[in-house]
């Protein structure tokens, strides 16, 4: 079994920066991709960023130019670098990982970000 643990959330002022981390552990051979989802209060959970182990990325329009997803394959850890945060970035951030060879998907428990303004 695989576990994902997110960290790095907290209170931040609009316009400032923070970085979230997602550490995967357990029965991991090779990670195919990792992704970050955001869920605001009373809103649907949406994909904000995804990265393949070889570095190909994709972002939601709302975060392009502000968020950067990265992966450290040796540590089985993904990061979400958030800059110039906005109040609408407030909410819970969830990490996923899909593992080879089956592309089984795992989810973390989330970390909360609150942007004050």
């Amino acid at each position: 079994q695989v576990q994902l643990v997110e960290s790095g959330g907290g209170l931040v002022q609009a316009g400032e920066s923070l970085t979230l981390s997602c550490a995967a552990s357990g029965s991991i051979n090779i990670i195919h991709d990792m992704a970050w989802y955001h869920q605001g209060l009373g809103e649907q959970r949406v994909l904000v960023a995804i990265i393949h182990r070889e570095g190909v990325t994709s972002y939601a329009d709302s975060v392009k130019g502000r968020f950067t997803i990265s992966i450290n394959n040796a540590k089985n850890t993904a990061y979400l670098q958030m800059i110039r945060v906005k109040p609408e970035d407030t909410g819970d951030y969830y990490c996923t990982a899909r593992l080879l060879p089956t592309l089984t998907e795992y989810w973390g428990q989330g970390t909360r970000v609150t942007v004050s303004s």
Side-chain angles (χ1 to χ4, degrees):
Q1 191 60 38
V2 173
Q3 298 81 42
L4 274 63
V5 178
E6 300 97 333
S7 62
L11 178 64
V12 62
Q13 293 184 338
E16 295 185 342
S17 304
L18 75 165
T19 298
L20 309 182
S21 299
C22 174
S25 62
S27 300
I28 298 172
N29 185 6
I30 300 175
I31 292 175
H32 180 269
D33 59 58
M34 298 185 73
W36 287 94
Y37 288 76
H38 171 251
Q39 186 170 19
L41 181 62
E43 300 179 353
Q44 296 292 108
R45 187 174 300 176
V46 298
L47 177 68
V48 298
I50 186 168
I51 184 169
H52 186 273
R53 63 172 289 105
E54 296 182 355
V56 178
T57 60
S58 183
Y59 297 91
D61 288 342
S62 61
V63 306
K64 287 180 180 177
R66 299 190 300 116
F67 292 5
T68 302
I69 188 170
S70 60
I71 189 168
N72 185 323
N73 291 308
K75 295 183 177 181
N76 294 323
T77 300
Y79 307 90
L80 187 68
Q81 299 170 320
M82 308 166 65
I83 65 172
R84 300 191 300 274
V85 295
K86 303 176 179 180
E88 53 262 43
D89 297 325
T90 292
D92 295 325
Y93 287 81
Y94 299 88
C95 178
T96 69
R98 295 196 297 172
L99 273 55
L100 292 172
T102 62
L103 292 179
T104 303
E105 187 173 68
Y106 298 89
W107 286 76
Q109 294 298 308
T111 186
R112 179 159 291 181
V113 172
T114 302
V115 180
S116 64
S117 179

